[in-house]
Amino acid sequence: MTIGFVQCGVVGLRGGRGSARCSNGGVWMVAAGYGKAEAYGSDVSKADSGPLRLEGCDLYLPEEEITSIVHFTPGALVSSQPHLFYGNFLSSLSDFGIAIISTPYDTSFDHLKLGKDVATKYVNAYAALLPRLPNTWVPTFGMGHSLGAKLQVLMNCVPEIRQKFPPRASNVLISYNNFDSAESIPAYENIIDGLRVLESLNPLLNSVGVAMGVDLKSSRFRDINIEQIFDNLRNFTGDVEPPTSVFESMVQRSYAVPDNCVISFATDSIDQSDILEADLRGRHGKRTVRRPLAGTHLTPMMPASDELRDFGLGRDIQNYLQETVQSVRTQYDKEFQDLVVTTVAFLRLMEEDCNRRLLGPGHESSTMDR
């Protein structure tokens, strides 16, 4: 089935720049170009390790031509420090020409307020980035994990929020869930142990570093603070807003993005993608793609296999550590790569269809077996 979009035309934007404007008046194609960091101005900062920073958002920019721009929203437990947990995933996507604006946020049960805050932060970064980019037409997408997936859906259900930013060509929704207050905390506590595995690397690597006289300060693991995550969890008070049943009705009645890729993992006790898929298909028919994958709720947060090399460890110790975890690591790597390939494949199909719609006949249409 051909993946369809509304017909778009090109109109002028401030300062002689341009954008493609859909028939509903919203902008969903933006001027974009290349991701060399030094080209973006003095207010685009770069820490010793991690992504670029602009207007409080993390930027992952490809070094070559930008083919699309993605707004990413992280999961609840690591929402304030997404670069520590999603850096490998987002960097892997940027290798395929995808520019990513990732918006950190402070988690609460007031999801409506979170949606407004995240949209405002994204728009500020988007507006600051746009004038720096050469004139090439690319589509914009949304992508979120866990609560971040819900926030992407919510932002496109509430008119006052979705009017803040360019309408999305499509959304990628990973490990979606929509729990009420009573369900949320026990569900999140189930994945804390998995996050502790990452934190446990700190004393091991630091001990090795001290013994070998190696400076590990560049390690992104040094900033992982599971106790802070626990504090965030304990500070959750009140009721989820909007209530889960009300939110489901909002999706069925108001969700504005017809084309979506819903990704779930085989081992994920807090995933509710089945409910989301049913609601999206009820709203927009068969234009939602469902992709069940091997993996867990933490698959999008897996570090790179060769990340130990960044710690400056001696080859013998490095080989020992790698051999010790090789069998498990191989499985995780495959699951992670399947996620990257699935995400990129969907975005490529959407990009292709956007180009065909924008540029007219002569460009191949995108097709996907639904």
Side-chain angles (χ1 to χ4, degrees):
M1 176 181 293
T2 299
I3 301 174
F5 290 89
V6 294
Q7 187 65 43
C8 294
V10 177
V11 299
L13 194 60
R14 66 184 188 284
R17 304 192 62 77
S19 66
R21 189 171 294 275
C22 296
S23 58
N24 65 1
V27 178
W28 60 266
M29 304 283 281
V30 300
Y34 297 86
K36 298 294 186 183
E38 60 271 16
Y40 292 91
S42 60
D43 57 336
V44 178
S45 61
K46 179 92 167 62
D48 292 338
S49 61
L52 302 171
R53 296 281 292 177
L54 179 64
E55 296 291 337
C57 294
D58 300 329
L59 299 181
Y60 296 83
L61 299 174
E63 294 190 356
E64 302 300 332
E65 183 178 4
I66 293 175
T67 60
S68 62
I69 295 178
V70 167
H71 173 211
F72 177 74
T73 44
L77 292 181
V78 296
S79 60
S80 64
Q81 45 187 351
H83 64 286
L84 298 180
F85 295 90
Y86 296 99
N88 185 33
F89 178 48
L90 300 181
S91 296
S92 297
L93 297 181
S94 71
D95 289 342
F96 291 89
I98 301 166
I100 298 162
I101 301 174
S102 173
T103 51
Y105 60 90
D106 294 324
T107 301
S108 78
F109 277 153
D110 191 345
H111 295 169
L112 188 60
K113 182 179 185 300
L114 287 183
K116 293 177 182 178
D117 293 345
V118 164
T120 298
K121 188 175 290 188
Y122 164 67
V123 167
N124 289 341
Y126 171 91
L129 184 64
L130 181 59
R132 309 158 195 259
L133 302 175
N135 287 318
T136 305
W137 305 116
V138 299
T140 64
F141 302 105
M143 180 173 67
H145 174 238
S146 195
L147 176 59
K150 178 182 177 178
L151 292 180
Q152 290 289 346
V153 174
L154 184 149
M155 287 187 291
N156 287 282
C157 286
V158 182
E160 68 172 289
I161 298 179
R162 71 172 180 251
Q163 289 169 5
K164 290 176 178 284
F165 55 82
R168 302 289 160 75
S170 61
N171 279 333
V172 178
L173 306 168
I174 305 169
S175 301
Y176 169 91
N177 55 62
N178 176 33
F179 292 111
D180 63 24
S181 305
E183 296 172 311
S184 290
I185 292 178
Y188 288 136
E189 285 176 339
N190 286 339
I191 67 172
I192 288 287
D193 288 342
L195 296 177
R196 282 196 181 281
V197 172
L198 294 181
E199 187 191 38
S200 69
L201 287 174
N202 278 326
L204 168 65
L205 294 172
N206 286 334
S207 297
V208 172
V210 169
M212 299 183 63
V214 175
D215 182 8
L216 303 181
K217 290 182 180 180
S218 64
S219 166
R220 67 186 179 92
F221 290 114
R222 68 185 172 87
D223 294 323
I224 294 176
N225 188 339
I226 297 299
E227 289 310 312
Q228 179 182 341
I229 294 173
F230 267 123
D231 288 341
N232 290 342
L233 190 62
R234 285 190 288 265
N235 288 335
F236 285 6
T237 58
D239 296 320
V240 169
E241 179 62 35
T244 56
S245 59
V246 172
F247 183 68
E248 273 195 56
S249 297
M250 290 169 59
V251 177
Q252 296 164 2
R253 185 178 62 251
S254 305
Y255 183 62
V257 182
D259 295 275
N260 301 272
C261 181
V262 177
I263 298 176
S264 58
F265 299 104
T267 306
D268 189 348
S269 62
I270 65 173
D271 181 88
Q272 294 182 312
S273 293
D274 289 344
I275 296 173
L276 177 63
E277 179 187 10
D279 289 342
L280 296 183
R281 288 182 181 271
R283 170 73 175 158
H284 291 294
K286 295 183 178 180
R287 293 173 69 171
T288 290
V289 176
R290 178 66 182 275
R291 291 294 179 260
L293 301 176
T296 73
H297 196 81
L298 299 179
T299 296
M301 296 188 264
M302 292 303 300
S305 324
D306 59 354
E307 199 153 358
L308 286 176
R309 297 174 191 171
D310 296 335
F311 303 132
L313 301 181
R315 179 166 299 184
D316 290 342
I317 294 178
Q318 192 178 125
N319 290 341
Y320 171 75
L321 291 174
Q322 289 178 344
E323 289 171 7
T324 301
V325 299
Q326 185 60 44
S327 60
V328 176
R329 186 75 252 187
T330 299
Q331 175 189 341
Y332 287 161
D333 280 349
K334 183 180 186 309
E335 293 169 353
F336 178 84
Q337 291 303 322
D338 285 348
L339 171 62
V340 172
V341 168
T342 298
T343 303
V344 171
F346 177 77
L347 293 178
R348 280 286 183 265
L349 287 171
M350 295 292 100
E351 290 169 8
E352 188 179 306
D353 199 74
C354 288
N355 288 332
R356 180 182 63 85
R357 295 282 179 164
L358 177 68
L359 300 175
H363 291 263
E364 295 181 3
S365 63
S366 300
T367 59
M368 180 176 285
D369 181 5
R370 303 282 183 169

